[in-house]
Amino acid sequence: MAMYLISFPSAAMQVPEAEFAAVGRAAHAVIDEAKAAGVYVFAGGIDERSPPVRVSADGGVTPGGYPWAPALEGGFTVLDLPTREDAIAWAARIARACRCEQELRVFQFDPQV
């Protein structure tokens, strides 16, 4: 088993306002299916109303994310799946629900986690 990150940036979700509630219901239904299948780890969206900060090793706080990096926003799902093919199938289900393509990444295995 490996953990897969399935995600999309906010700008990718081009949904008319009138259809947004239906998309939310469809997305929640897929998450419910993942929970029922026992593969769900985490899902959520970045609250873009709350700006990021960088926190240093001494606890110092600097407003903003890394200035050289793209903004981190959008929706994220982490699933624990046996194969990449399974991850692609779940990403397709999420893509249908959210009406936008999903990015798929695998987390590196860490034997101590």
Side-chain angles (χ1 to χ4, degrees), residues 85-108:
E85 290 75 22
D86 290 320
I88 290 169
W90 278 100
R93 292 167 85 170
I94 294 170
R96 277 190 299 279
C98 293
R99 301 183 192 179
C100 65
E101 292 182 330
Q102 303 290 303
E103 294 181 353
L104 178 65
R105 293 182 173 82
V106 64
F107 284 96
Q108 291 180 332

Side-chain angles (χ1 to χ4, degrees), residues 32-67:
D32 289 344
E33 292 171 16
K35 289 177 180 178
V39 299
Y40 176 84
V41 176
F42 170 82
I46 299 291
D47 184 347
E48 296 172 32
R49 299 167 298 180
S50 180
V53 297
R54 292 187 318 278
V55 180
S56 67
D58 66 4
V61 177
T62 304
Y66 287 103

